[in-house]
Each structure stands twice: as C-alpha cells, then as structure tokens.
Amino acid sequence: MDDARMEVVMGLIMHGGNAKGQAFQAIQFAKEGKFDEAEGALKLANEELKAAHDVQTDMLTKEAQGEHTEVDLYMVHGQDHLMNAITFRDMAIELIELMKRVQKLEG
C-alpha cells in the first residue's frame, strides 16, 4: 500500500476512533449529570466525524473523476471505523436525551 492510501485509511481510522471516544466520553459525562460537558464532548465527536467525512469525500470525488480507489481490507477496516463511530455518536445523542428526561422526572 502506498503512502497516500495509508494516509486515507489512517485518517478514517484515527478520526473515527477519536469520534467514538468522544461520544463515549459524552455518555460518561451525562451519567454524572454533567450535560454541558456531554454536549461539549459531542461537539468534539462531530468535529472528528467531519474530518473523517472530509477524507471520505475526497476519496469519492477522486473516484468520480476516474481515479479508481482499490478496495482492500485496510479500506474496509477504515470505513468500518467511520460507520461505527457515526452509529455510536447517534446512539450517544439518544442516550443523553433520555438521561436528561430521567433527571428532569426525578428532579
């Protein structure tokens, strides 16, 4: 694998992993009732997802321009990290909203 492809794959993995980690941190803050901190962690997760999405969009743009991207296990792994991070972030948002409702009802 050449350096350019490795950079793309590592961008997907790194930003996806960072996003998932921030979403997990957001859930932990919410469990402690620290909803402002949870929202901050979700904001950071979204920034990481945008960075990963930018890497993916660049790759898709090149594909549309006729520059074929070889799909191998590394690329699949990188895409898997990104999709899992998106799903995890979405679930974190829902969990945090539920925790806010529970706190309000218990309050």
Side-chain angles (χ1 to χ4, degrees):
M1 176 182 295
D2 64 26
D3 289 344
R5 278 186 46 73
M6 184 57 78
E7 189 173 319
V8 168
V9 169
M10 292 310 296
L12 293 172
I13 293 170
M14 179 186 67
H15 293 300
N18 289 345
K20 185 177 175 188
Q22 287 297 326
F24 184 81
Q25 184 63 55
I27 293 169
Q28 298 308 304
F29 280 134
K31 284 170 55 177
E32 298 170 6
K34 299 177 180 176
F35 295 111
D36 288 339
E37 289 89 340
E39 293 300 325
L42 285 175
K43 182 177 186 248
L44 292 174
N46 286 331
E47 290 171 6
E48 289 289 345
L49 285 175
K50 184 192 178 312
H53 188 260
D54 289 347
V55 169
Q56 187 182 52
T57 299
D58 183 57
M59 188 174 51
L60 290 169
T61 299
K62 288 178 181 174
E63 185 77 27
Q65 294 170 343
E67 188 178 322
H68 179 67
T69 301
E70 180 185 346
V71 177
D72 57 17
L73 187 55
Y74 293 112
M75 188 61 68
V76 171
H77 184 65
Q79 291 291 340
D80 188 46
H81 269 272
L82 176 55
M83 296 310 299
N84 280 321
I86 291 168
T87 301
F88 198 91
R89 187 271 326 258
D90 292 347
M91 293 302 297
I93 290 168
E94 294 300 318
L95 281 170
I96 291 166
E97 287 304 313
L98 287 172
M99 286 184 229
K100 286 178 182 178
R101 290 176 67 188
V102 167
Q103 185 183 59
K104 193 175 189 178
L105 290 170
E106 290 179 342

